[in-house]
Amino acid sequence: MVALVPLPGFEAGALLASRLEAALLRVSEKAFPDGELYVRIEDYDKLSGEDVVVASTLYPEQLEKLFKTLILINAAKSNGAKRVVAYVAYLAYARQDKVFLPGEPVSACVVSKALRTSGADALVVVDAHSPRALECFEGPVANVAVSHVLVGAALKYLEDPVVIAPDKGALERAEYAAKHYGLDYDYLIKQRDRVTGEVSYVPREVSVKNRDVVIVDDIISTGGTIAEASRVLLRSGARRIAVAASHGLLVGEALRKLESSGVAKVVLGNTLMTRHEHPLVEYVDVTPVVAEELKRLLKPS
Ligand code: R5P
């Protein structure tokens, strides 16, 4: 028997529970007058001796969600769960996966270690920014690739597209989706100013002339990366551009930026606790792929 403990408000938790045929446990939460957070697994009597999936995401309000996830894991473990799998659909802080400038921390490592110390025996995430971001978790880890699912949904808007990674870091996920459908793929060379965050592209020949394009990335935050990539590709003769991104943070003016850069469609995974109702955006349920990975992980050895 598997039980699933959702972070309150994370709707994908219920979807996942039904795909896993797991008991969906009730959780309550509150904040104390001084702001401190509290959670309680109301169905605590269903934890003892079970494999328990704590299903959460760390966006928006990354720190609050991280803390609630940690205390939920602790509650599951200390109330008798046999094994706790932390399913963190969007792993915040994964981009700080190494020291880029002297004096910086490795934030991804701090998050992984905190999850482990709180009682997570295994960690499952959707399309972590990099494999390195998960290296500090001392236990089984699954980084669920979903780019093929997102590109699959984008295909209905495009004709025989080229799959493009907007930087070398995204090449693996672009290649994975492209090979799944037998599509051509390539990548752009992005430069980001580490201080201002501004994105620019190094000129590079990509064969997109008169071709539709699907840009594949893990995260859309400000939209700067995708907007610049879209401009570069349209200047190189691309016809129609869609985007397939796992985590659509879409902060501030991101959607307006994408629209004005010529992007025709943005396909996103249901990995966050925000949803943008906008004609440009389509959400795709990635829980079927996640459920398969969880089933593999939870299989008795
Ligand atoms: C960075 O390497 C990531 O893969 C994304 O490309 C980046 O986080 C997107 O951020 P923004 O939308 O702000 O350019």
Side-chain angles (χ1 to χ4, degrees):
M1 176 73 178
V2 176
L4 188 139
V5 173
L7 183 72
F10 185 38
E11 285 169 14
L15 283 175
L16 202 54
S18 84
R19 296 194 193 287
L20 292 170
E21 294 178 33
L24 179 63
L25 306 195
R26 287 171 304 139
V27 176
S28 61
E29 63 169 343
K30 66 180 178 188
F32 289 103
D34 58 6
E36 290 186 3
L37 302 170
Y38 169 95
V39 295
R40 180 172 187 236
I41 303 172
E42 298 289 337
D43 295 320
Y44 60 89
D45 54 332
K46 301 200 171 96
L47 291 162
S48 186
E50 304 297 351
D51 282 336
V52 176
V53 176
V54 172
S56 85
T57 179
L58 304 184
Y59 192 85
E61 293 149 356
Q62 295 90 324
L63 290 183
E64 197 178 302
K65 290 203 171 53
L66 174 61
F67 188 71
K68 284 186 199 166
T69 303
L70 298 176
I71 57 179
L72 270 179
I73 291 169
N74 177 271
K77 201 59 184 268
S78 56
N79 281 277
K82 183 173 74 183
R83 200 162 36 151
V84 175
V85 178
Y87 166 54
V88 183
Y90 171 66
L91 188 73
Y93 289 96
R95 283 170 288 182
Q96 188 69 33
D97 58 358
K98 64 175 185 182
V99 171
F100 296 92
L101 298 174
E104 291 178 347
V106 183
S107 311
C109 219
V110 174
V111 172
S112 282
K113 283 181 186 289
L115 290 164
R116 179 72 174 163
T117 312
S118 300
D121 298 292
L123 173 63
V124 176
V125 307
V126 173
D127 201 5
H129 175 63
S130 69
R132 191 170 43 219
L134 301 171
E135 273 172 8
C136 284
F137 188 87
E138 288 170 7
V141 161
N143 186 11
V144 182
V146 295
S147 58
H148 59 307
V149 182
L150 305 173
V151 167
L155 285 180
K156 61 179 174 289
Y157 304 106
L158 307 166
E159 216 175 288
D160 185 32
V162 187
V163 181
I164 295 286
D167 52 44
K168 264 197 134 171
L171 182 55
E172 211 173 295
R173 57 179 70 88
E175 180 178 354
Y176 182 71
K179 288 192 169 156
H180 192 87
Y181 298 103
L183 300 171
D184 296 335
Y185 63 95
D186 209 336
Y187 67 97
L188 302 176
I189 303 176
K190 179 172 91 175
Q191 285 176 326
R192 192 189 282 276
D193 186 312
R194 289 257 155 240
V195 179
T196 64
E198 211 152 290
V199 168
S200 61
Y201 277 96
V202 174
R204 177 168 192 275
E205 190 83 14
V206 282
S207 311
V208 293
K209 200 168 171 50
N210 297 322
R211 301 278 308 270
D212 284 354
V213 170
V214 52
I215 305 175
V216 172
D217 209 354
D218 57 337
I219 301 166
I220 308 178
S221 178
T222 64
T225 297
I226 299 296
E228 258 324 287
S230 166
R231 283 193 194 97
V232 166
L233 293 164
L234 288 170
R235 276 201 298 270
S236 307
R239 211 163 43 188
R240 191 172 166 82
I241 296 191
V243 180
S246 308
H247 315 290
L249 278 52
L250 298 172
V251 302
E253 294 293 291
L255 272 172
R256 197 193 46 75
K257 255 192 234 172
L258 298 182
E259 220 168 9
S260 64
S261 74
V263 168
K265 201 75 201 176
V266 180
V267 177
L268 303 170
N270 58 340
T271 60
L272 309 177
M273 269 164 68
T274 44
R275 238 186 136 79
H276 295 262
E277 299 306 332
H278 189 282
L280 207 60
V281 177
E282 174 183 331
Y283 284 94
V284 171
D285 180 16
V286 297
T287 59
V289 198
V290 174
E292 286 316 306
E293 192 58 52
L294 282 166
K295 281 180 195 163
R296 251 194 301 279
L297 204 77
L298 292 167
K299 212 182 270 165
S301 46

